[in-house]
Amino acid sequence: MVFYFRYKSIGNFSRPIIIFSIKDIEFFGIIDSGADSSFMPREVAEILGININELEDNEIVTISGEKIKVKLAYFNLVFKDIREKRTIEHVPFHIDLDNKLKYIVIGRAGIFDNFTVIFEQIHKRVGLKYSPKRIYK
């Protein structure tokens, strides 16, 4: 079973956007194979009812060297279509405290461990094929 999502136009570019739910609220996120972790704007965490003050302060450094203040939280992500529903538990998200992010970014941690991600640029879609965590030797 593969969950397919159409690319969406953001500015002048088509982006690989996936749809998922957290706490029964549907979200869109850009899937980024170059991002180690997933990120969300502070406003999204507030919509989810997360008490930011209870989370540990942290800081990440972007590939460009920019430092961003974040808090780390874990969420269960639900992917579904008319035939199947799949929940991926305990996916780490960095919450952007500086409000530099304008959208959710879905990185590799927790997602690429559970799905084979298929980028079909020519068809402007991305697929998530469930592949449970494997141990390579």
Side-chain angles (χ1 to χ4, degrees), residues 48-128:
L48 291 167
I50 302 302
N51 185 344
I52 303 262
N53 297 324
E54 292 180 354
L55 301 174
E56 185 178 333
D57 289 324
N58 209 332
E59 185 176 79
I60 60 156
V61 180
T62 67
I63 196 160
S64 64
E66 182 179 15
K67 294 180 180 179
I68 300 176
K69 293 178 185 174
V70 297
K71 301 265 189 164
L72 181 62
Y74 295 87
F75 298 98
N76 296 337
L77 276 60
V78 177
F79 300 89
K80 62 183 174 181
D81 64 12
I82 58 173
R83 295 178 304 268
E84 186 174 2
K85 175 179 171 181
R86 181 76 57 193
T87 300
I88 305 301
E89 297 179 348
H90 207 66
V91 177
F93 273 83
H94 288 94
I95 301 168
D96 173 22
L97 300 179
D98 293 333
N99 290 318
K100 295 183 179 187
L101 289 177
K102 304 300 179 216
Y103 43 81
I104 297 172
V105 174
I106 303 297
R108 293 189 313 269
I111 300 300
F112 285 60
D113 299 328
N114 288 286
F115 291 103
T116 299
V117 180
I118 307 158
F119 292 96
E120 294 184 357
Q121 188 70 24
I122 195 164
H123 298 294
K124 296 201 181 303
R125 70 180 187 174
V126 61
L128 300 178

Side-chain angles (χ1 to χ4, degrees), residues 21-27 48 78 80 85:
S21 297
I22 300 174
K23 296 183 176 182
D24 293 324
I25 302 172
E26 193 170 87
F27 294 99
L48 291 167
V78 177
K80 62 183 174 181
K85 175 179 171 181

